[in-house]
Amino acid sequence: MIDPIELFKDTFRRAEEASRYDASATTLATATSSGEVSARIVLVKRADAEGFYFFTNYRSRKARQLAENPKAALVFFWPELGEQIRVEGAVQKLPTAESDRYWAERPRDSQLGGLASEQSQPLESRERLLARVAEVESQFEGRTVPRPEYWGGYLLVPQRIEFWSNGDHRLHDRRLFKRRSGTWTESRLYP
Ligand SMILES: Cc1cc2nc3c(=O)[nH]c(=O)nc-3n(C[C@H](O)[C@H](O)[C@H](O)COP(=O)(O)O)c2cc1C
């Protein structure tokens, strides 16, 4: 049987070639422990046998939801391919060394923005944000911008991955992969 992670990687490579925009922009849905759901776009920076990686602010709304309910869903959609991939599973924080590594690869402007932003907190004005960015710019002028402890990565360990592709006459194809005790099984779903 084909490994769904390999199938994801193949599809993602095709999406990168075909997409006009960043193919890694993906919907991430999280929920509170009482089941209130929220969703937003994040960039999924990597996928491997362990799972799917994204980076964010650990004090953001999504991070608060993941702290109380460490489960999430991702939805990729690439209109140029007519394909959707849905991923569901448990989420864990990445080890700090991995977050450090990704932080170091980010452009300096993104680092300064990440440092200056209290993501998901009320912001009194746009000027306040610009002033905070200017503060951190001068604080770290000529120096490496360190990763703040409130910024880092998560790994979504998939339990379920579904590949949807557009078919003729609305006969879309849906291949579902489910993992139990480390083994993937495949089935098909009605569209
Ligand atoms: C194309 C695009 C890419 C984004 N990538 C990220 C990302 O990788 N990490 C992130 O924290 N927010 C990213 N955002 C912003 C989120 O959508 C969201 O506004 C932010 O994370 C706060 O969400 P929260 O309040 O639910 O935590 C992105 C937004 C867009 C439109």
Side-chain angles (χ1 to χ4, degrees), residues 68-149:
E68 42 178 279
N69 178 9
K71 291 179 190 149
L74 296 171
V75 185
F76 297 83
F77 173 51
W78 300 292
E80 293 86 352
L81 300 184
E83 294 188 43
Q84 165 184 255
I85 299 178
R86 298 167 60 181
V87 181
E88 292 161 29
V91 176
Q92 59 200 50
K93 275 187 183 176
L94 287 184
T96 52
E98 286 194 46
S99 294
D100 284 341
R101 204 172 317 133
Y102 177 61
W103 175 265
E105 287 171 11
R106 298 181 86 208
R108 189 175 174 85
D109 277 356
S110 307
Q111 294 175 334
L112 292 168
L115 202 59
S117 172
E118 295 178 37
Q119 193 178 65
S120 315
Q121 296 304 313
L123 171 63
E124 62 205 47
S125 66
R126 184 88 196 147
E127 290 67 42
R128 176 76 197 118
L129 175 62
L130 298 177
R132 279 185 64 96
V133 173
E135 266 167 44
V136 295
E137 254 170 359
S138 69
Q139 193 182 348
F140 292 102
E141 203 181 335
R143 291 196 286 142
T144 305
V145 184
R147 178 182 66 83
E149 98 291 345

Side-chain angles (χ1 to χ4, degrees), residues 44-84:
V44 170
K45 299 307 292 186
R46 200 170 104 204
D48 63 20
E50 305 291 314
F52 296 80
Y53 300 77
F54 58 91
F55 294 83
T56 191
N57 184 306
Y58 285 151
R59 296 178 187 158
S60 63
R61 182 168 177 227
K62 73 181 88 51
R64 290 198 297 275
Q65 294 190 341
L66 287 170
E68 42 178 279
N69 178 9
K71 291 179 190 149
L74 296 171
V75 185
F76 297 83
F77 173 51
W78 300 292
E80 293 86 352
L81 300 184
E83 294 188 43
Q84 165 184 255

